[in-house]
Amino acid sequence: MTDRALVLARRWAPGVALVLAAGLLVAIPLLALLRTALEEGVAALAEAVVSAGPSIGASLWTSVAATVLAVVIGATLAVLTERTDVPGRRGLRMAMLLALIVPGYVAALGWLNTYGPGGMFDDLFGVAFPALVGPIGIVTVMGVEAAPIAYLIVVAGLHTRAEPDLERAARASGATAMEAFRTVTLPLLRPIIAGASAIAFVLSVTSFGVPAVLGIPAGFTTMTTRIYRDLAFSSDPSSFVRAVGLAIVLAVGAALVIALGDWLLERRRHARSGAFTGPMGQMGGAASGPQEEGGGRRWVRPRALAGGIFAWVVVSAVVLLPLVGLLLTALTKAPGLAPVPANWTLSNFAEVLDVRTLEALGNSLVLAGGAAVGVILLAGLAVMARRGRGAGVTGGLLGLTFALPGSTLAVAVLLAYGVALRDTLAIILVAYLAKFWALGFRPVAAGLDGIPADSYRAARVSGAGVWTTTRTIVLPLLRPMIIAGGLIVFMFGLHEVTMSSLLYGPGSATLAVVVLNLQQLGDNGLTAALALVLAMLVALAAVPIAGRAGALERIGWRR
């Protein structure tokens, strides 16, 4: 091989490998899904989708209601923590972060064990909410699950879109703090709130864990739980056709709404540096910094105090108390006993950690770790291929698969690799890599944009090759972003339930799947104990993410 051919091979090899990996993980499953849909025929798919009309309608209206709730909670708390002197702002922010890392189905279990029949409030005060099992509970918990995302987006919008100088001018002209917010800040935030609504809707309509925990026992079916039932429990061929049709409906709907959210979030992208780059992009920006009383940053103290009380009541009711209820259920000896220290025991934790659970825990750790390592390796390929066309194509494919509902992607992976890999950990790992690759790819892509081009050129001019320059200049600068991406993938992999529940087989169940199966068997104590174990594992995985990625600082959480 000539020197020129060798140079070309080294230059193009990373890009070719990147495109091949994207093809195996993303393109082939999606093409398999499309091929199967075409084989069944449009008429058969349409008939199958129409037969699932009630499930589609249930998904739509519950998701719209949950979106409204999520945006109201998230936007209100964002304004209170970023525009007022509410007491305990740091604690409120950390509580929202806690809500973000707790899996939705664990939160649903917490709500059941706190506010449902036989829950903590029922045992202590004789107050219960039976309607929690059904659509009302689904709307409530899905709204709470999506609220932290809406909160983060609005917080970033307050720091990058809402100009504090305009608020100061309005206050100097005699407007009250509320009038300045209503007439100046809120109009500037409307595209941000609309974009946050689009993302919250997609999270809700593609949610599986919450409808599975709160909907299946009540006979209330959404699109995601209908796909699960059709694939897992039905041998009727029409059920498979319906599952494929619903998967396509979810995919198309999610893609359209994500595209709308991207457009809304980027409408004013050039209005100020540090702007959003869309739902899949960086959600950060320069903080506006502290401002004087009356300058548009802080409301008067009595109003801030009232706002703080309101915020803490809301956060306690929707985030903290459900976790307390879950803990007390796990500690209480038997259902019906008051959750007081005299009735506490650790036997539920000891009983739940049996051989099957430990095997599932091992599967979860292997899958989450394998996905994290795989993403780091693939992110390294992305670094080396950053100047090739393959990186751009791959970025588009990865953005698409991350936006796809997990149930849709699971069906696609099953169609593509089910014959060879069915009921194995490998098929779940393929789905994890396809879904979560974007989580590692995006931080690396953002980090690449921040590396001065002159440092790269200087190394090349000094005689360093592409690989040497990448190894000595680029990778050291990107190492924190690559590791942070891997840690995020590990955290998501630990609590993933949608794809795992559709793809697992004998010996390949994950811890999240075992939690879901225990809940459906009706053993509240064991379910609560295992759900807490899972939540603690996820929380432990989240600790180094905040420290290494500096996520709080990048969205302006400086006080």
Side-chain angles (χ1 to χ4, degrees):
M1 181 179 291
T2 64
D3 291 342
R4 178 175 177 77
L6 184 60
V7 170
L8 289 175
R10 289 177 177 175
R11 178 178 299 176
W12 285 98
V16 171
L18 196 67
V19 172
L20 286 176
L24 290 172
L25 294 174
V26 180
I28 289 179
L30 293 182
L31 289 175
L33 181 66
L34 181 61
R35 183 196 63 203
T36 303
L38 294 176
E39 286 177 353
E40 298 296 340
V42 176
L45 282 175
E47 182 180 354
V49 170
V50 169
S51 69
S55 299
I56 296 175
S59 288
L60 290 177
W61 80 259
T62 54
S63 298
V64 169
T67 297
V68 173
L69 180 62
V71 172
V72 168
I73 294 175
T76 301
L77 291 177
V79 171
L80 287 174
T81 58
E82 306 307 310
R83 284 294 190 267
T84 75
D85 274 326
V86 293
R89 290 192 305 277
R90 183 183 295 274
L92 288 171
R93 292 160 177 162
M94 296 307 296
M96 294 305 292
L97 179 63
L98 177 64
L100 181 65
I101 64 176
V102 172
Y105 53 92
V106 173
L109 291 170
W111 278 73
L112 274 179
N113 287 284
T114 301
Y115 303 116
M120 180 177 69
F121 271 44
D122 195 5
D123 292 334
L124 293 178
F125 311 113
V127 177
F129 302 93
L132 194 60
V133 180
I136 293 177
I138 291 173
V139 168
T140 303
V141 180
M142 287 198 311
V144 172
E145 182 184 11
I149 298 296
Y151 173 81
L152 290 176
I153 293 174
V154 175
V155 165
L158 286 168
H159 286 283
T160 60
R161 295 286 191 255
E163 295 283 354
D165 290 341
L166 298 179
E167 294 181 32
R168 293 192 192 100
R171 295 299 304 278
S173 300
T176 65
M178 183 60 72
E179 289 172 340
F181 176 79
R182 180 174 54 83
T183 60
V184 176
T185 306
L186 189 58
L188 292 173
L189 285 178
R190 281 173 185 163
I192 301 300
I193 293 175
S197 300
I199 297 172
F201 177 82
V202 171
L203 289 174
S204 299
V205 80
T206 61
S207 175
F208 168 74
V210 175
V213 171
L214 300 177
I216 290 179
F220 186 83
T221 306
T222 63
M223 282 190 282
T224 54
T225 55
R226 186 61 180 265
I227 291 173
Y228 172 70
R229 287 173 52 189
D230 286 341
L231 290 180
F233 300 111
S234 179
S235 58
D236 186 355
S238 64
S239 298
F240 179 76
V241 178
R242 183 168 52 241
V244 173
L246 286 176
I248 293 174
V249 169
L250 271 176
V252 173
L256 289 175
V257 176
I258 283 290
L260 175 64
D262 265 323
W263 178 75
L264 290 170
L265 286 174
E266 294 195 30
R267 280 181 63 185
R268 302 183 184 183
R269 182 177 180 179
H270 301 294
R272 184 175 175 182
S273 61
F276 281 88
T277 59
M280 290 301 302
Q282 182 180 355
M283 294 191 297
S288 56
Q291 294 150 33
E292 298 298 328
E293 182 74 32
R297 170 66 175 175
R298 305 297 181 205
W299 292 349
V300 294
R301 179 68 61 178
R303 185 174 296 173
L305 181 60
I309 294 173
F310 169 77
W312 275 109
V313 168
V314 170
V315 168
S316 298
V318 303
V319 177
L320 302 180
L321 282 178
L323 292 177
V324 172
L326 194 65
L327 175 61
L328 291 179
T329 300
L331 291 174
T332 304
K333 294 178 181 178
L337 295 177
V340 296
N343 295 326
W344 288 357
T345 180
L346 294 177
S347 61
N348 285 328
F349 290 94
E351 184 177 350
V352 81
L353 295 177
D354 56 12
V355 174
R356 184 189 60 169
T357 301
L358 293 177
E359 181 184 18
L361 173 60
N363 290 339
S364 292
L365 292 174
V366 168
L367 288 169
V373 172
V375 162
I376 289 176
L377 294 176
L378 293 169
L381 278 179
V383 172
M384 299 180 66
R386 66 196 179 284
R387 296 183 181 274
R389 295 181 180 179
V393 174
T394 301
L397 281 173
L398 299 184
L400 174 62
T401 53
F402 190 76
L404 281 178
S407 52
T408 299
L409 191 55
V411 173
V413 171
L414 188 62
L415 291 171
Y417 301 113
V419 174
L421 302 178
R422 190 181 183 92
D423 295 340
T424 66
L425 289 178
I427 195 169
I428 303 177
L429 181 59
V430 170
Y432 281 15
L433 287 172
K435 181 72 172 177
F436 302 140
W437 188 357
L439 293 176
F441 184 84
R442 292 289 178 169
V444 171
L448 282 173
D449 292 338
I451 296 178
D454 290 343
S455 61
Y456 183 86
R457 295 192 190 101
R460 294 304 308 277
V461 169
S462 300
V466 174
W467 168 244
T468 301
T469 303
T470 300
R471 180 174 54 83
T472 60
I473 302 295
V474 179
L475 286 178
L477 294 174
L478 288 179
R479 187 177 293 115
M481 303 301 292
I482 292 175
I483 295 177
L487 289 171
I488 292 172
V489 170
F490 184 81
M491 183 184 74
F492 272 76
L494 276 179
H495 67 66
E496 201 286 325
V497 69
T498 306
M499 297 182 295
S500 304
S501 64
L502 292 172
L503 297 174
Y504 84 98
S508 62
T510 64
L511 194 59
V513 170
V514 173
V515 171
L516 188 63
N517 291 340
L518 270 178
Q519 187 272 333
Q520 293 176 351
L521 291 175
D523 195 325
N524 288 339
L526 296 182
T527 303
L530 191 56
L532 281 174
V533 171
L534 177 60
M536 286 187 290
L537 288 174
V538 175
L540 288 174
V543 169
I545 296 173
R548 185 171 291 276
L552 303 184
E553 289 294 321
R554 278 201 289 277
I555 61 173
W557 293 8
R558 300 182 184 275
R559 285 166 300 282

